[in-house]
Amino acid sequence: DQQVKQNSPSLSVQEGRISILNCDYTNSMFDYFLWYKKYPAEGPTFLISISSIKDKNEDGRFTVFLNKSAKHLSLHIVPSQPGDSAVYFCAASIASGTYKYIFGTGTRLKVLA
Amino acid sequence: GAGVSQTPSNKVTEKGKYVELRCDPISGHTALYWYRQSLGQGPEFLIYFQGTGAADDSGLPNDRFFAVRPEGSVSTLKIQRTERGDSAVYLCASSLSLAGGDEQFFGPGTRLTVL
């Protein structure tokens, strides 16, 4: 039972354009969401997070949007750069009681120069 | 370096053997996590420690898997009687505290191959 889903295994975008990565979740108890980026042979690196009390969080070129009613979040990268090419994982956690991350299966982003 | 380190980076073993995977968290981080990532999947939670104690081991797949953190710093994940299905990348992460959503810093992982 996949509680966090990333339905697009891959995405290709032209350099300079917007990349939109999507994530859906099923557990309404999740109250903290994160995006991690992973390069080959490296561990995941934290990118950006959002609490369930917010619907948007922005950090430079990266913006995460949360739609709680739809149990959906998205990561926008604009403008996309070739160095953004990586696998992006969405993760969710429950802040009280347990702190483990539940990860999606990842989306491989390729930014074309 | 100041990041999370894991050793070995690669481990090849035969079915039925015992293996130990080591994690050195970031100094001062009290929370430590183990995840397992199989091919084409996201990291899957195994266990986390707050200090020396296992606060949640609900992700350990069976009793062949065990983890310790005796002094609240380095942790060792131990797998007995390895099976081919145990082949995966084992990731360790640490965070400053167990506050919900605290960023977890990941190590590069240990790639375990069971022949």
Side-chain angles (χ1 to χ4, degrees), chain A residues 2 32 34 36 38 41-46 49 89 93-95 97-106, chain B residues 33 35 37 40-45 48 56 58-59 91 98-109:
Chain A
Q2 193 76 21
Y32 209 89
L34 309 95
Y36 275 79
K38 187 180 184 304
E42 295 182 11
T45 303
F46 172 77
S49 63
F89 291 100
S93 73
I94 301 170
T98 180
Y99 302 94
K100 60 191 178 186
Y101 289 174
I102 306 298
F103 283 88
T105 52
Chain B
Y33 312 76
Y35 292 84
Q37 185 175 13
Q41 301 296 314
E44 176 189 7
F45 169 78
Y48 80 71
D56 183 348
S58 63
L91 293 163
L98 269 182
D102 255 13
E103 177 189 348
Q104 294 179 22
F105 294 83
F106 282 82

Side-chain angles (χ1 to χ4, degrees), chain A residues 21 76 80:
Chain A
L21 296 97
H76 292 210
S80 301

Side-chain angles (χ1 to χ4, degrees), chain B residues 26-42:
Chain B
I26 293 172
S27 177
H29 280 195
T30 59
L32 184 145
Y33 312 76
W34 283 98
Y35 292 84
R36 174 169 73 172
Q37 185 175 13
S38 301
L39 196 61
Q41 301 296 314

Side-chain angles (χ1 to χ4, degrees), chain B residues 11-17 82-87 112-115:
Chain B
K11 176 71 177 176
V12 180
T13 190
E14 292 180 343
K15 180 175 179 294
K17 300 288 189 183
T82 51
E83 300 177 357
R84 293 194 179 89
D86 299 335
S87 296
L112 175 66
T113 303
V114 181
L115 301 176

Side-chain angles (χ1 to χ4, degrees), chain A residues 20-34:
Chain A
I20 300 176
L21 296 97
N22 294 303
C23 177
D24 297 290
Y25 62 95
T26 57
N27 190 340
S28 57
M29 297 294 290
F30 288 143
D31 53 10
Y32 209 89
F33 304 88
L34 309 95

